Amino acid sequence: MLPSTCIHSILTLSLMGHVTALWKGFNLPANNPSGSCKSQEDWAHDFSVMQSLPGRFSSARLYASSDCNTLAAAVPAAIASGTTLLLGVWTEDNAHYEAEKAALVQAIQQHGTGWIIAVSVGSEDLYRGDTDAATLARQINEVRGLLCKLGACGIEVGHVDTWTAWVDPKNEDVIRACDFVGYPYFEGSNIEQGYNDYEKNLKKTRDTVSRVKPGVWVWVTETGWPVSGGMLGSAVASVSNAEAYWKGVACEAFSNAHTFWYTLQDYLSSPSFGVVDANFKPLFDLSCDRLLVGLSTGSLRVYRVNEVIDEAPAHHGPAAEDQRPSSSSKPNAVDLMREEEKFSKHKVEQLAIVKEANLLVSLSNGVVSIHDLQTYQLQETLVKTKGATAFAVTSNIVKDSSTEVPSIVSRLAVAVKRRVILWSWHDSELHPDTSELVLVTGVKTLTWATGTKLIAGLTSTYVLVNVETSVVTDIIGPGSIGGAPGQDGGRFGGVGVSTISYMGLGGVAPKPLATHLGEGEMLLAKDINTLFIDTDGQSLGRRQIPWAVAPEAIGYSYPYLLALQATRGTLEVRNPETLTLLQTISLPSASQLHISQPYISLAHAGKGFLVLSDRCIWRMGALGYDSQINALVDGFRLDEAISLLGMLEDALLVDKEGRLREIKMLKAQTLFDLRRYREALDLFTEVSAPPQRVIQLFPPIIAGPTSSLSKASDNNKDADEYAKELNAAQVEPENSELDEKISKDIGSIRRSTDGSRTTSDDAATTSVAGSQPSDSRPMLEGKDLKAATAELRPFLVSARTRLQRYLNPDGTLRDGQARSNTAASNVQEAQELLLAHVPESPEERRQQMVETAQLVDTTLFRAYMFASPSLAGPLFRLDNFCDPDVVKEKLIETGRYNDLVDFFYGKGLHQQALELLERFGKQEQRDETAAQLAGPQRTVAYLQNLPPEMIDLILRFVSWPLDENPELGMEVFLADSERAETLPRQRVLDFLEKKDRVLAVRYLKHIIQELDDRTPSFHQRLAEDYTQGLRQQGASGKPAPPGWEEDALKFLRSSYNYQPFKVLQMLTADGKRRNASSREFANDD
């Protein structure tokens, strides 16, 4: 705000230039004009000179890091003066490139990163043909990875090149690698065309970048005009032309893009582009912001608006406080530069600028006149406009439909009674033809909806005029908006945006107001009725704005809707999406609101706006967007903060995505505290909240030791007690009282220069109020706990799915995820969503991922056991990270032994599982809680699923099934399965020999006859077992097992893999005659 800047008899004004929170400064070489390398003192002097210029420049672009020890000398001087630096890293040859990176690393290790704006890797390499897109993209990613290793992942890395390089499709890989794109421009156009060429080529670059990588900003990194040195193409080097280019390009660029001018000083060069001479004195007027004030006397006053810097740019990581000393000197708010007393013979009613054509348009005594924007001299009085009541101007870049060549088209529309008269300029040249449209009633106001469509506020209605086709469309709206009431007839309703850049004289009847709202939306307002429409005049169906009294003026200052309540002497600031009143500023006697007309520059340029009374002008500015978000969050107006973040572009905030996620998690926590569990958990899931943050909201029965809730004695209940409560609880509808409006005023969403703050309430506020996390949050019980747990389960399942993308079942990182290089940066970003803090070390990150996975699975187990125990079993049959101690305790406590066996198996705790199976399997009296485990069947099935390397465990626990049911027990070894066939056969055979020779023979028969094992030792073993059985039969007189002799003879005859003489020795060892079988065997042999 201009502090008490009172100017008598103000009727109209126009603001040229804007105060914004953007990086702006100069390109500074590493050499002095004489060619010597700059010392730290030289750098300090350059920075001091920049900050003493009218723009108070506190940023600079450096071309290199190692040349002339650039960073070693410049960084200490920058830190001492509060200057921030856009760094350069040359890539032209490998040795130079490595030296550049080394210098960057050394500077960061020595001085931190608070002084760094961003890093540009290379400069115009593609334009010169020094490299290719793939190589340059790789180098950009290398530097980004280098910064990450130094703990500076948040620093943006980009490249500077000409617009011709950026629009070339073969260079799109470089755009994709960039966090920002640098645009240098000078093409030798004449001064009359220089501004238009600059804008057209900048737009081509922005269009290409937006298509290839949406959200990336284009920075103006190098542009200027020579002050001496003759002709450069069609460009004439002169101080006057340099000043004109500065006023036309620099002043606009400083307000809508991060901009670095070429250059501060180079007086020995030819051509020379420096803006200061050898003594560091400005060569021309470097001021930008001019306030043009038309008086009732007909005079025009031109004020220079001095910039007041009270916070660093919010984007790209502002430096630490101790690195940004504030200036002790404070300039005047405004300085009167000149006064044109004979600007008009009558009072000046309206002013506007057609910057692209270098024109100032005025309305005085019912006639529109054209003036030179630099000299303010009258160029032409538009006679056709006699009787004019209002006018509106617009400028847009338009592509020729046949040639696709862009041009800047500016249009002037003047309201003269029922007529609308139109003029146009194409690339600053006035088009010879004018056109007229006659409407049904007198035109009160004009507002451009697009470059070709005009909203005309008539006496009783609104119409949309297409100036190219002359088609006039009626706009139907509620009440005094005009026409029959439509669906928008409700009283409470929308918000809007204003293009009211020029002030007309009001009448007795309410003035028909209109304003832009963002992309493709407009707001119409008359009396207290409002209508939201698109640029085709169609209603958007939104509710009306709850104004108590009709506003005198409305406007849109990105991203807020403004309404001046002249009868109350207040300015209202609203969110155009939620319609919530955010701030009410007291401005006594204020009667007009002026917002600079929308140029072809970015809508988010951070433009200020003006409010005026009969004698005073208040210049309104805004806090940095991050500060605004902080204020909303501090006031617990979380919905408003979320809405504002959604409206703002990514480049305007520090870590927009992270801030939005954090605020949504605060909102989710608030919803949870208000017992709106489904909404809360859906929102937690939407933002991929860290599981620990969500789980800690639950009591220990669900969250275990992670719970942040107090553990009151009456809450120490086991699962059965909770289950009894839940079964007894009746389901009730969700508490509707939670929709109760909870809001607080916040101060300084808008701020005045003197630091005053105002706040207000708004009955229409519906934001969810936040709450701070609390260790004393009341415990969840009964139906509330059941409802909350039911909503928690899908969240945990989603978290499990995300964790499985990065973790193998054994806890190792999946292939390709363990690397910490830049190629895996997207993996790290995804992991940050799961972890509260992501360590730099891959091993520490892996460990934290495992701990998180264990927390998720264990909590999911507790949730299942609490509400749906039958679902716990399927969880164990999947790979999981459940805490074995927790699961074991809970399943034993609830008698779910079968599930416990499944869990042990899944976790590889086979000994514990088999011990449990043996305990219940051998019980003589069946335990009904473990009926499925009775007998050896479950043990045999378990052993059959163990891998061969666990042979020791298999042999240990197969013993008792063999004792109780040899036929069943042998299935462990004889089953038709890969695992049974791949068991170590010698170990199995040795075990069975000790257990029972019959079982051993059966096993040998299986592997030899069915599995075709030809191992001689096995064949010899079987032959000897058969023989031993025959000997024992003969000695004892007891019959052999059925079929023994037949099987023995069949084997001894058919096998060639044993030694017959050893068998004969066994048969004759006792000195007795062979029996019949032996003789038969000998004869056959």
Side-chain angles (χ1 to χ4, degrees):
M1 183 172 79
L2 301 179
S4 301
T5 304
C6 298
I7 307 173
H8 68 282
S9 304
I10 296 175
L11 288 179
T12 186
L13 48 82
S14 183
L15 179 66
M16 297 176 58
H18 320 286
V19 175
T20 111
L22 295 167
W23 304 111
K24 61 178 184 178
F26 290 90
N27 288 265
L28 298 180
N31 301 88
N32 291 308
S34 63
S36 62
C37 291
K38 287 181 179 176
S39 64
Q40 181 174 330
E41 291 72 22
D42 293 326
W43 285 108
H45 187 259
D46 281 356
F47 298 149
S48 175
V49 170
M50 290 194 314
Q51 295 180 7
S52 70
L53 298 176
R56 298 183 59 153
F57 302 95
S58 59
S59 300
R61 177 193 174 209
L62 309 184
Y63 296 107
S65 296
S66 62
D67 297 355
C68 273
N69 293 319
T70 297
L71 296 188
V75 174
I79 293 174
S81 62
T83 302
T84 51
L85 304 176
L86 169 58
L87 306 183
V89 172
W90 279 103
T91 62
E92 57 190 13
D93 64 75
N94 189 61
H96 195 182
Y97 175 51
E98 293 300 322
E100 291 283 275
K101 291 191 294 182
L104 176 61
V105 169
Q106 183 178 0
I108 291 175
Q109 289 175 338
Q110 186 172 356
H111 302 290
T113 59
W115 47 276
I116 301 176
I117 298 173
V119 179
S120 170
V121 179
S123 180
E124 301 186 20
D125 304 70
L126 299 173
Y127 167 72
R128 294 191 304 269
D130 291 345
T131 188
D132 58 74
T135 300
L136 184 56
R138 175 180 56 78
Q139 290 173 320
I140 292 170
N141 286 324
E142 283 179 356
V143 173
R144 183 181 292 110
L146 183 67
L147 292 171
C148 281
K149 290 180 180 179
L150 295 170
C153 290
I155 294 177
E156 295 195 347
V157 182
H159 174 68
V160 174
D161 226 307
T162 63
W163 71 270
T164 55
W166 290 126
V167 301
D168 190 337
K170 71 174 182 287
N171 295 327
E172 290 183 358
D173 283 347
V174 178
I175 297 176
R176 294 187 186 95
C178 286
D179 300 318
F180 72 93
V181 162
Y183 169 77
Y185 178 78
F186 182 77
E187 290 196 347
S189 303
N190 60 48
I191 190 61
E192 290 77 14
Q193 193 63 26
Y195 173 78
N196 290 339
D197 287 346
Y198 161 86
E199 282 288 348
K200 286 189 291 186
N201 294 327
L202 177 58
K203 184 177 188 300
K204 292 176 185 176
T205 303
R206 283 175 172 159
D207 289 346
T208 300
V209 172
S210 296
R211 174 181 56 80
V212 176
K213 191 175 182 181
V216 170
W217 261 28
V218 176
W219 298 13
V220 180
T221 49
E222 193 173 346
T223 190
W225 197 274
V227 294
S228 63
M231 296 281 291
L232 290 174
S234 300
V236 178
S238 70
V239 171
S240 60
N241 283 346
E243 180 175 10
Y245 192 72
W246 175 276
K247 300 294 185 184
V249 172
C251 292
E252 180 69 11
F254 290 149
S255 69
N256 61 39
H258 302 305
T259 303
F260 299 87
W261 200 254
Y262 185 79
T263 182
L264 181 66
Q265 184 194 62
D266 64 346
Y267 60 91
L268 293 180
S269 300
S270 182
S272 171
F273 284 76
V275 300
V276 299
D277 61 17
N279 297 315
F280 292 93
K281 301 298 181 183
L283 293 169
F284 52 84
D285 178 19
L286 295 173
S287 63
C288 281
D289 287 3
R290 286 181 287 168
L291 179 64
L292 309 184
V293 182
L295 306 182
S296 60
T297 61
S299 296
L300 176 73
R301 286 187 178 178
V302 182
Y303 290 88
R304 177 174 58 223
V305 180
N306 298 315
E307 183 173 356
V308 178
I309 300 177
D310 48 20
E311 63 175 283
H315 184 50
H316 308 298
E321 291 298 326
D322 60 352
Q323 295 177 333
R324 287 184 170 278
S326 58
S327 174
S328 58
S329 61
K330 190 174 183 179
N332 295 326
V334 293
D335 294 316
L336 179 62
M337 297 173 62
R338 63 190 294 180
E339 181 169 358
E340 296 290 331
E341 295 183 353
K342 297 181 180 181
F343 182 77
S344 174
K345 295 180 180 180
H346 306 277
K347 61 185 177 184
V348 182
E349 300 172 11
Q350 187 177 350
L351 290 174
I353 296 166
V354 184
K355 187 171 185 178
E356 294 69 32
N358 199 38
L359 299 176
L360 174 65
V361 184
S362 69
L363 172 62
S364 181
N365 195 33
V367 177
V368 174
S369 300
I370 305 297
H371 309 259
D372 183 271
L373 185 57
Q374 302 302 322
T375 65
Y376 312 112
Q377 297 302 306
L378 177 66
Q379 289 187 346
E380 182 181 0
T381 298
L382 303 180
V383 179
K384 288 185 177 182
T385 64
K386 186 174 182 180
T389 55
F391 67 83
V393 300
T394 187
S395 295
N396 300 273
I397 294 180
V398 179
K399 285 186 177 180
D400 185 274
S401 58
S402 58
T403 65
E404 292 294 313
V405 175
S407 63
I408 299 178
V409 177
S410 302
R411 287 189 168 93
L412 166 67
V414 183
V416 182
K417 299 180 181 178
R418 292 171 51 202
R419 295 180 299 153
V420 176
I421 309 175
L422 298 158
W423 284 263
S424 64
W425 289 261
H426 296 255
D427 288 336
S428 75
E429 296 295 328
L430 177 64
H431 197 277
D433 298 329
T434 60
S435 58
E436 293 187 16
L437 294 166
V438 180
L439 306 181
V440 292
T441 60
V443 181
K444 302 299 182 182
T445 59
L446 293 173
T447 306
W448 287 101
T450 68
T452 59
K453 295 178 181 179
L454 191 66
I455 298 290
L458 309 182
T459 302
S460 58
T461 187
Y462 289 85
V463 295
L464 178 70
V465 179
N466 188 314
V467 299
E468 289 187 326
T469 64
S470 299
V471 173
V472 178
T473 304
D474 292 327
I475 298 176
I476 306 301
S480 58
I481 294 294
Q487 62 178 344
D488 309 278
R491 172 61 186 84
F492 295 100
V495 263
V497 202
S498 171
T499 46
I500 304 289
S501 296
Y502 343 95
M503 309 301 163
L505 296 178
V508 176
K511 184 165 53 175
L513 307 175
T515 182
H516 276 283
L517 284 176
E519 189 66 29
E521 293 186 14
M522 297 196 71
L523 171 67
L524 308 182
K526 190 173 184 183
D527 197 10
I528 59 171
N529 294 290
T530 56
L531 177 67
F532 290 90
I533 62 171
D534 60 21
T535 53
D536 292 324
Q538 300 300 311
S539 171
L540 297 176
R542 297 180 59 186
R543 65 188 182 92
Q544 296 195 49
I545 299 174
W547 283 324
V549 296
E552 180 68 22
I554 60 175
Y556 180 71
S557 181
Y558 180 88
Y560 297 107
L561 170 70
L562 310 172
L564 183 61
Q565 306 282 2
T567 58
R568 295 182 172 183
T570 59
L571 177 71
E572 290 186 355
V573 181
R574 290 181 182 268
N575 182 320
E577 289 186 347
T578 65
L579 310 187
T580 302
L581 179 62
L582 299 175
Q583 189 177 10
T584 299
I585 303 172
S586 177
L587 298 173
S589 303
S591 59
Q592 295 188 52
L593 173 65
H594 178 85
I595 299 174
S596 297
Q597 61 206 45
Y599 294 115
I600 58 181
S601 57
L602 300 177
H604 59 246
K607 301 178 177 69
F609 61 94
L610 303 171
V611 182
L612 59 152
S613 67
D614 288 342
R615 300 186 61 82
C616 294
I617 299 173
W618 292 271
R619 186 188 190 202
M620 311 302 293
L623 289 173
Y625 293 120
D626 285 290
S627 298
Q628 296 180 36
I629 298 298
N630 291 339
L632 288 167
V633 174
D634 291 344
F636 304 141
R637 306 186 73 168
L638 304 180
D639 281 335
E640 297 305 321
I642 292 170
S643 175
L644 178 57
L645 281 164
M647 290 186 287
L648 294 172
E649 294 191 14
D650 295 359
L652 295 174
L653 296 157
V654 176
D655 189 19
K656 172 184 172 178
E657 184 178 348
R659 292 297 307 278
L660 183 60
R661 178 173 180 254
E662 175 62 28
I663 294 170
K664 284 187 175 182
M665 286 192 288
L666 286 175
K667 178 182 176 180
Q669 184 170 321
T670 300
L671 290 168
F672 189 91
D673 291 343
L674 296 176
R675 302 179 183 177
R676 293 160 65 169
Y677 304 120
R678 174 166 297 182
E679 295 174 69
L681 271 298
D682 284 349
L683 192 53
F684 277 130
T685 302
E686 175 191 325
V687 300
S688 301
Q692 181 177 355
R693 181 163 182 169
V694 179
I695 292 169
Q696 69 180 3
L697 301 176
F698 286 78
I701 192 172
I702 301 296
T706 305
S707 174
S708 64
L709 301 180
S710 59
K711 301 180 181 179
S713 59
D714 60 341
N715 288 320
N716 293 331
K717 306 174 181 179
D718 61 23
D720 292 334
E721 291 178 282
Y722 274 103
K724 290 176 182 177
E725 287 186 11
L726 295 176
N727 292 333
Q730 295 182 355
V731 178
E732 297 180 2
E734 289 191 358
N735 195 342
S736 60
E737 72 184 292
L738 305 177
D739 292 324
E740 176 184 35
K741 292 172 291 187
I742 310 173
S743 62
K744 288 187 177 182
D745 294 328
I746 60 168
S748 298
I749 294 300
R750 293 285 173 181
R751 62 115 171 100
S752 59
T753 303
D754 61 3
S756 62
R757 297 187 176 190
T758 57
T759 60
S760 76
D761 264 330
D762 179 17
T765 299
T766 59
S767 294
V768 171
S771 64
Q772 298 294 335
S774 173
D775 290 338
S776 61
R777 185 180 294 107
M779 289 288 288
L780 286 171
E781 297 180 286
K783 68 179 189 308
D784 285 332
L785 180 56
K786 184 175 182 180
T789 303
E791 302 303 334
L792 174 66
R793 293 194 325 236
F795 170 82
L796 295 174
V797 171
S798 173
R800 286 191 85 244
T801 302
R802 288 184 284 127
L803 282 161
Q804 288 170 354
R805 297 173 188 167
Y806 311 110
L807 280 178
N808 289 311
D810 62 356
T812 58
L813 291 177
R814 288 193 181 275
D815 184 34
Q817 311 297 341
R819 300 187 304 272
S820 60
N821 56 24
T822 56
S825 61
N826 59 327
V827 173
Q828 183 166 340
E829 290 173 5
Q831 291 172 354
E832 287 176 356
L833 301 181
L834 292 163
L835 309 177
H837 168 69
V838 180
E840 291 186 14
S841 164
E843 175 55 28
E844 292 178 351
R845 185 163 66 248
R846 184 202 64 79
Q847 181 61 34
Q848 194 165 348
M849 292 284 287
V850 170
E851 292 173 359
T852 302
Q854 185 179 70
L855 174 64
V856 168
D857 284 356
T858 305
T859 304
L860 183 58
F861 163 72
R862 289 193 181 102
Y864 281 145
M865 291 300 297
F866 176 72
S868 304
S870 60
L871 297 178
L875 173 65
F876 303 145
R877 287 185 273 279
L878 302 172
D879 293 325
N880 66 81
F881 289 89
C882 291
D883 185 332
D885 293 335
V886 173
V887 174
K888 181 178 178 180
E889 178 183 358
K890 187 62 65 175
L891 291 179
I892 291 176
E893 176 185 310
T894 55
R896 303 187 68 85
Y897 297 105
N898 194 53
D899 288 339
L900 182 57
V901 170
D902 288 339
F903 172 73
F904 282 151
Y905 180 82
K907 302 301 290 183
L909 303 173
H910 302 300
Q911 180 172 331
Q912 295 185 48
L914 290 166
E915 288 173 348
L916 186 69
L917 288 170
E918 183 177 6
R919 188 181 73 173
F920 285 102
K922 296 170 70 173
Q923 286 182 346
E924 295 183 3
Q925 294 185 347
R926 176 174 295 189
D927 189 335
E928 293 302 323
T929 62
Q932 293 176 303
L933 308 185
Q937 292 86 352
R938 191 76 166 82
T939 297
V940 170
Y942 194 102
L943 293 172
Q944 286 178 315
N945 285 285
L946 293 181
E949 55 267 23
M950 304 198 73
I951 186 62
D952 289 336
L953 204 62
I954 293 173
L955 297 180
R956 173 182 170 186
F957 286 93
V958 76
S959 182
W960 77 268
L962 287 172
D963 292 339
E964 292 201 5
N965 189 338
E967 186 70 23
L968 178 63
M970 283 299 293
E971 286 300 308
V972 174
F973 310 117
L974 306 182
D976 185 14
S977 68
E978 182 181 354
R979 288 193 170 181
E981 294 176 6
T982 55
L983 290 173
R985 294 172 182 177
Q986 188 64 51
R987 293 285 307 280
V988 174
L989 183 59
D990 292 342
F991 169 79
L992 292 176
E993 285 280 8
K994 295 177 181 178
K995 192 75 176 172
D996 187 336
R997 178 178 288 110
V998 174
L999 297 180
V1001 168
R1002 185 177 178 187
Y1003 180 70
L1004 284 169
K1005 287 172 60 179
H1006 171 74
I1007 62 175
I1008 291 172
Q1009 297 173 5
E1010 296 185 25
L1011 302 183
D1012 195 26
D1013 191 324
R1014 301 185 182 185
T1015 305
S1017 61
F1018 292 156
H1019 285 249
Q1020 186 68 37
R1021 191 78 165 264
L1022 181 56
E1024 291 177 357
D1025 282 343
Y1026 273 138
T1027 303
Q1028 186 68 24
L1030 292 173
R1031 291 179 61 196
Q1032 291 177 353
Q1033 174 189 353
S1036 64
K1038 295 180 180 179
W1044 183 274
E1045 290 187 14
E1046 291 78 5
D1047 290 344
L1049 289 172
K1050 183 178 179 181
F1051 171 73
L1052 293 173
R1053 289 171 180 169
S1054 61
S1055 176
Y1056 295 94
N1057 294 312
Y1058 69 95
Q1059 297 177 356
F1061 74 92
K1062 290 186 177 182
V1063 175
L1064 288 172
Q1065 288 177 348
M1066 292 178 62
L1067 289 172
T1068 59
D1070 57 1
K1072 298 179 178 180
R1073 295 183 62 197
R1074 305 172 190 162
N1075 58 30
S1077 298
S1078 301
R1079 287 196 300 270
E1080 184 176 355
F1081 164 71
N1083 293 333
D1084 290 340
D1085 194 41

